[in-house]
Amino acid sequence: MSTNNTTPSGVRQDEAMHEQDEVAKDPSRTELIAVRDPALATQKKRYTWTRINDMPIWWFLAVLATLAVAVYTGNLPGALLGGFAVTLTLGGLLTWIGTMIPVLRDYGLATLLCTFIPSTIIFLGVMPENVIETVTGFMNDVGFLDFIVAAIITGAVLGMPRKLLIKAGPRFLIPLAGCITLTFVIIGGIGALFGGGFVESMLLIAAPAMAGGIGVGAIPMSEMYAAETGNDVGGYFAQLVAVTALANGVCILFAGVFKGIGSRKPNLFAGFYGSGQLMRIEDKNGDLTMPKKKGSANFLSLGKGLLITAVLFSLATVVNAYLPMLHTFAWLIIAAAILKVFNLFPSEFEEAATEWGDLMTSYFVPALLVGVSIAYINLEEVLVAVTDPIFLLLVVLCVLVSGLVAGVLGYLLKFYFLEAAVIPGLVMADSGGSGDVAVLSAANLMHLMPFAALATRIGGALTLFITALLVPLLSVVA
């Protein structure tokens, strides 16, 4: 006689197991973020009401007080250590403030604070002169800007999964590349109609919006533009950051709208909405998924990553000296891409460069933003840019065009329309990282984070490369 587990205790065990399964199927927001970037998954641990940048708050306040003593007694170290002291401390404090404010933190508040609060303090005339001098020297003479950007670019390119690129690349890259290219052309045309100029609208609106974040967007682009035209880096950077921030907020809004349309009219046409499924083909072998990133790195690996980044940047500098038609960052992308596509680097070197880039992205970007804000940004120029109605219209249209173009091209290649409109469409126009999280959360597509990561990495590098090709046109239209 067989027995069934129908006792009350057995029922309770079944219910408990069912509840555990449900929990497993519904991971926390932090666990979902970890799929995209382990650094973002630890953000709540780094910035809480008792910790600032992973330091107990009382110790961080002691660091802040010590720095204040050095500043106001005129003994702030110059060059490297003084620059690190100021930018890391202010970057940590402003990021903490931006992270602690609900709702607004999902719209890139921390980035905005790091970018504009220091320049506002200078505008009000209350920042000590020795701080300005130290940080300006840190950015210009020490080369902190190139140090960070080179690491981010090298890590982004070498961190792309080669197998995924080969197998899923042709299908995924067409809507991605088409989305970027057509958005450039359409926004350039609309900008020209409103008197903003075709080239200027492409490079000052479409380019930073479509870079998938400031790491391979506003930061290197502003430097390229300034080098080509001879104008001030800060003027360009302020406008490009304003574009990135505004586009990020519009992306989140449209993501929610797309979700609502899909829920109410899922069968608007065949292949319109996949209820969270990106592609209309079956992934039998798991080749269309992106591997998880490592959550930690050892010291030797980071050292190798620094060496690889420095050597590749040196190579790019040499090539730029003989072939100056492209910026050094563009040659860096080409060099890293050749190594990746032709599998010329051992995997340990690729991982080392990726981990080094991830370190720069997760820990030093707030410091870089503070440095750029102090050394380059003129707040008066920012206010002129963001109060221009044509500027606001072009940014909104840029996001809308990106989403619709990606949706149409994706649909033609067996993607669901709305899912493709979000990935790569809206993902390319948001601020990357936390922007990806906010957009996918608003669209209820958090499980597609791996594809968002792929779009951000590939699309960001492609956008920067296209921008580098177009930069010489700035001198022509000037």
Side-chain angles (χ1 to χ4, degrees):
M1 179 177 179
S2 61
T3 59
N4 294 324
N5 188 16
T6 57
T7 63
S9 61
V11 172
R12 286 194 296 270
Q13 290 176 356
D14 287 344
E15 292 176 347
M17 293 177 64
H18 179 70
E19 290 175 358
Q20 290 175 357
D21 289 341
E22 288 299 313
V23 172
K25 294 177 182 178
D26 187 21
S28 67
R29 176 181 172 86
T30 300
E31 290 171 335
L32 288 168
I33 294 173
V35 176
R36 168 65 178 87
D37 192 336
L40 288 175
T42 60
Q43 189 83 332
K44 291 184 179 180
K45 296 180 181 179
R46 290 174 60 192
Y47 297 101
T48 69
W49 291 113
T50 59
R51 300 184 75 83
I52 300 179
N53 207 6
D54 207 29
M55 295 178 64
I57 190 168
W58 299 113
W59 281 106
F60 185 88
L61 292 177
V63 169
L64 184 62
T66 302
L67 178 62
V69 170
V71 168
Y72 288 104
T73 60
N75 293 302
L76 179 67
L80 188 66
L81 293 179
F84 271 128
V86 172
T87 57
L88 285 172
T89 302
L90 285 182
L93 178 62
L94 293 173
T95 301
W96 176 73
I97 295 173
T99 304
M100 289 296 99
I101 299 177
V103 181
L104 293 180
R105 62 189 171 199
D106 294 329
Y107 291 81
L109 178 62
T111 296
L112 292 176
L113 293 181
C114 289
T115 302
F116 293 112
I117 291 298
S119 59
T120 301
I121 296 174
I122 294 176
F123 178 76
L124 296 175
V126 294
M127 179 171 285
E129 190 64 32
N130 60 342
V131 171
I132 300 175
E133 292 177 357
T134 296
V135 174
T136 301
F138 180 57
M139 298 297 293
N140 294 330
D141 301 331
V142 177
F144 184 54
L145 182 64
D146 288 343
F147 177 74
I148 299 295
V149 174
I152 293 174
I153 291 176
T154 303
V157 176
L158 293 180
M160 297 177 188
R162 183 172 179 271
K163 183 178 180 181
L164 178 59
L165 288 179
I166 294 174
K167 293 197 174 185
R171 185 181 298 273
F172 188 72
L173 289 180
I174 291 176
L176 177 60
C179 164
I180 295 170
T181 304
L182 291 178
T183 300
F184 266 60
V185 174
I186 293 172
I187 294 304
I190 295 175
L193 290 177
F194 284 102
F198 183 80
V199 174
E200 292 90 339
S201 297
M202 285 196 302
L203 295 180
L204 299 179
I205 302 293
M210 298 301 293
I214 62 173
V216 290
I219 295 173
M221 287 175 185
S222 59
E223 187 172 335
M224 288 192 292
Y225 298 169
E228 180 66 28
T229 64
N231 294 332
D232 182 54
V233 173
Y236 285 119
F237 183 77
Q239 179 172 346
L240 301 189
V241 169
V243 170
T244 305
L246 178 58
N248 186 61
V250 176
C251 281
I252 297 171
L253 176 62
F254 279 147
V257 172
F258 287 176
K259 174 189 173 183
I261 295 174
S263 299
R264 284 176 166 77
K265 296 184 179 296
N267 300 316
L268 189 61
F269 56 82
F272 175 68
Y273 181 51
S275 299
Q277 183 176 340
L278 181 62
M279 305 182 74
R280 289 180 282 159
I281 60 175
E282 188 176 354
D283 181 19
K284 296 180 180 179
N285 299 320
D287 292 329
L288 302 180
T289 59
M290 190 169 180
K292 292 183 179 181
K293 294 169 63 176
K294 296 170 63 176
S296 61
N298 60 54
F299 298 131
L300 292 178
S301 181
L302 292 174
K304 285 187 290 185
L306 170 58
L307 175 60
I308 291 167
T309 299
V311 171
L312 287 180
F313 185 75
S314 299
L315 173 62
T317 303
V318 171
V319 177
N320 174 258
Y322 293 97
L323 299 172
M325 71 284 298
L326 293 181
H327 192 273
T328 302
F329 290 145
W331 289 120
L332 176 60
I333 293 172
I334 293 173
I338 291 174
L339 292 172
K340 184 68 183 183
V341 170
F342 293 99
N343 203 24
L344 301 178
F345 253 6
S347 59
E348 64 173 299
F349 288 1
E350 294 180 351
E351 291 179 2
T354 302
E355 290 166 358
W356 176 250
D358 290 341
L359 172 63
M360 296 299 103
T361 301
S362 62
Y363 196 82
F364 287 96
V365 165
L368 177 63
L369 296 178
V370 168
V372 169
S373 181
I374 293 175
Y376 302 134
I377 290 183
N378 184 324
L379 192 63
E380 292 181 5
E381 296 175 349
V382 176
L383 296 176
V384 171
V386 298
T387 54
D388 181 2
I390 302 301
F391 167 83
L392 298 176
L393 175 63
L394 287 176
V395 173
V396 173
L397 289 177
C398 184
V399 175
L400 182 60
V401 168
S402 177
L404 293 180
V405 168
V408 171
L409 293 178
Y411 178 79
L412 296 176
L413 292 168
K414 302 298 183 181
F415 287 76
Y416 285 99
F417 177 85
L418 279 186
E419 279 77 2
V422 176
I423 304 172
L426 297 185
V427 165
M428 280 311 307
D430 67 29
S431 62
S434 61
D436 290 348
V437 172
V439 165
L440 296 187
S441 177
N444 197 25
L445 296 174
M446 289 290 284
H447 58 287
L448 295 180
M449 194 70 79
F451 280 96
L454 182 64
T456 299
R457 283 185 179 276
I458 300 176
L462 179 60
T463 298
L464 183 59
F465 181 70
I466 293 173
T467 301
L469 295 177
L470 298 175
V471 162
L473 296 178
L474 279 177
S475 298
V476 176
V477 300

